[in-house]
Amino acid sequence: MITIGVPAEGPDEARIGLSPDTAKKLGKYGAKIQVVSGAGLRSRISDQDYTDAGVTIVKTDQDAVKGADIVLTVRRPSLELAKSMKQGALVIGMLDPFSDAAGLDALAKSGVDLFSMELMPRITRAQVMDVLSSQSNLAGYKAVIDAAAAFGRALPMMMTAAGTVPAAKVFVMGAGVAGLQAIATAKRLGAIVTATDVRPAAKEQVESLAAKFVAVEDEEFKEAETAGGYAKEMSDAYKKKQAELVAKHVANQDVVITTALIPGRPAPILLTKTMIESMKPGSIIVDLAVERGGNAELSKPGEVIEHNGVTLMGKLNMPGLLPVNASALYAKNLFAFVESMIDKESNALALNWDDELVKGTGIAKAGEIVNERVAEALKSSPAKPEAAKPTQTSETTTPKTPKGDTT
Ligand code: NAD
């Protein structure tokens, strides 16, 4: 029988990695599940909801992880909590793998195996486990809703006896999962929507949502997508041309939503101070990349600021602001991954390190860091005693990269 533990998250994290639905599904494999009392409350899941789904409610985080073969988390657990886990327990969560390598190493040395869901390979079989998609989609929606709420005008055109209200212009920068949802949401609210991206495949997707695509479409643009479907770092010459095009466009926009990311790199700066200053007072910028350094030069992590009448929103953990949906989807992602590790005959845990999903997400195994990039980062900043501090706090959402460092 597999034992699964779910501790509570820190004060800045409203999501949880188990839903009553996924608890029931795990129960069908005979899993014993222990959740700390109150862990689901911020996602509107009561202890009773869990109990009805066959979960045992326990008093402390230590009780929740005690004896567990698998510990499901949203953020990195603290080292202190990891020390209460059994040797070889699998900790599965969004472990923020490329920040604080020393902290990860300390967790690994405590004897737990670590799996970071952000590293799930983007292959068809793993789509149901893709936390970046399930969470970014909600972030894209929330960005538009927040912008609309802060905007002193309406988004749709309205023709009334007293006059016509013009439609607002919304520009979405980065048309991945979050950006496409932002486009769809802004369209539904009646805005005039344009979008940009460096990947040529994004053009068709933007146009399929009836938005206009704005980008420098040169030879480099045609090659700008990696085999994994992600953006490449663009050359300085391309960035310059694109910035000139964007600068003209931005000056005319009411709302700009930025979502541009490059895996493992700082977010590219797409909105310079000059561009922001070219926007009309009352305009809104929502920087969804703020946790990775930000796409807007002036945005500040965790803050909503005003510059020359332009509001810059740099809220952290946007999916966590829709915890009910975010938890339900995230729990489903985790369930699918855990289910792939269960032997369907014996209902026992059958972890296969040769499976590409396990290999892709696995960061630490038997006390050692096994992810190459984390190991590299560790070499350049080896563990210090103070690095072993708990990380299940707001620290995990502070920016890890200086602005403008796109090298
Ligand atoms: P992401 O979060 O890494 O980046 C967001 C977007 O920013 C991307 O579209 C990227 O091209 C864009 N971007 C990067 N630099 C830019 C710049 N300088 N200017 C403008 N835009 C820039 O991306 P994502 O949302 O995770 O999606 C990346 C791709 O992966 C998409 O094609 C998506 O459809 C695909 N995807 C595949 C799967 C799967 O197969 N399982 C799942 C989800 C997403």
Side-chain angles (χ1 to χ4, degrees):
M1 184 177 55
I2 302 175
T3 301
I4 296 174
V6 182
E9 295 294 321
D12 297 324
E13 185 52 77
R15 293 171 291 177
I16 190 81
L18 181 83
S19 65
D21 175 49
T22 60
K24 275 188 214 150
K25 290 190 161 105
L26 288 165
K28 288 194 182 136
Y29 290 106
K32 177 185 172 216
I33 310 175
Q34 41 204 41
V35 176
V36 70
S37 176
L41 286 179
R42 285 172 291 170
S43 293
R44 308 285 173 226
I45 305 168
S46 67
D47 286 355
Q48 189 61 48
D49 293 332
Y50 278 131
T51 309
D52 293 347
V55 167
T56 304
I57 298 294
V58 295
K59 283 207 177 102
T60 66
D61 287 335
Q62 278 71 19
D63 295 336
V65 303
K66 197 172 164 193
D69 304 294
I70 298 175
V71 175
L72 301 179
T73 71
V74 179
R75 306 272 189 96
R76 247 187 237 188
S78 68
L79 180 59
E80 193 195 346
L81 187 60
K83 284 179 178 161
S84 303
M85 296 177 198
K86 81 172 189 188
Q87 292 293 298
L90 315 183
V91 176
I92 308 176
M94 290 187 279
L95 304 184
D96 196 8
F98 303 123
S99 79
D100 185 20
L104 274 178
D105 189 46
L107 276 183
K109 291 212 162 61
S110 78
V112 295
D113 290 354
L114 303 173
F115 295 87
S116 199
M117 292 298 285
E118 300 99 315
L119 301 178
M120 187 60 71
R122 282 189 149 171
I123 55 171
T124 308
R125 178 161 79 96
Q127 263 179 9
V128 62
M129 308 169 200
D130 188 340
V131 297
L132 295 180
S133 293
S134 75
Q135 305 300 296
S136 301
N137 176 52
L138 292 171
Y141 162 81
K142 185 79 169 91
V144 176
I145 299 302
D146 279 6
F151 192 41
R153 291 168 37 194
L155 258 56
M157 184 174 84
M158 297 177 196
M159 287 162 73
T160 79
T164 299
V165 172
K169 291 181 185 144
V170 175
F171 182 40
V172 178
M173 304 185 78
V177 178
L180 290 173
Q181 183 55 255
I183 294 168
T185 306
K187 284 295 287 185
R188 276 183 221 123
L189 290 174
I192 298 168
V193 186
T194 51
T196 190
D197 201 293
V198 288
R199 290 178 302 107
K203 180 178 178 170
E204 202 185 306
Q205 290 160 358
V206 166
E207 288 172 350
S208 76
L209 291 170
K212 191 169 172 254
F213 192 67
V214 177
V216 174
E217 298 179 42
D218 63 5
E219 286 306 309
E220 184 175 350
F221 173 82
K222 289 181 193 143
E223 308 287 323
E225 183 159 326
T226 65
Y230 286 107
K232 280 185 187 160
E233 176 84 46
M234 304 303 276
S235 71
D236 286 345
Y238 182 89
K239 282 189 204 158
K240 189 165 174 280
K241 280 192 275 181
Q242 174 82 347
E244 278 162 14
L245 179 74
V246 164
K248 278 195 210 123
H249 189 66
V250 160
N252 241 334
Q253 300 300 307
D254 299 304
V255 173
V256 181
I257 306 222
T258 69
T259 76
L261 293 176
I262 301 159
R265 320 272 300 177
I269 292 281
L270 303 180
L271 287 180
T272 60
K273 183 166 179 277
T274 314
M275 290 184 203
I276 295 165
E277 287 172 351
S278 76
M279 294 177 75
K280 294 184 288 286
S283 305
I284 312 279
I285 296 169
V286 183
D287 190 346
L288 283 186
V290 77
E291 288 174 38
R292 296 265 299 276
N295 293 140
E297 200 173 7
L298 302 178
S299 61
K300 290 209 163 66
E303 289 184 35
V304 176
I305 57 162
E306 205 177 296
H307 180 81
N308 281 4
V310 175
T311 301
L312 287 113
M313 298 184 152
K315 288 190 196 171
L316 303 172
N317 191 6
M318 291 287 269
L321 298 175
L322 296 168
V324 176
N325 302 123
S327 295
L329 301 179
Y330 179 63
K332 190 75 187 294
N333 296 143
L334 288 184
F335 165 73
F337 186 40
V338 170
E339 188 184 35
S340 77
M341 299 175 179
I342 299 176
D343 180 295
K344 308 299 175 295
E345 300 278 301
S346 63
N347 285 350
L349 188 59
L351 183 67
N352 173 12
W353 274 94
D354 290 330
D355 182 332
E356 64 179 315
L357 309 188
V358 173
K359 247 196 282 187
T361 53
I363 292 179
K365 177 185 172 189
E368 296 296 327
I369 294 289
V370 290
N371 178 286
E372 270 175 33
R373 282 181 51 204
V374 178
E376 277 302 311
L378 195 59
K379 266 190 231 152
S380 48
S381 62
K384 296 182 207 102
E386 67 270 27
K389 61 183 185 274
T391 52
Q392 199 180 54
T393 65
S394 57
E395 285 162 50
T396 50
T397 56
T398 50
K400 289 103 200 168
T401 44
K403 290 208 166 183
D405 176 9
T406 53
T407 53

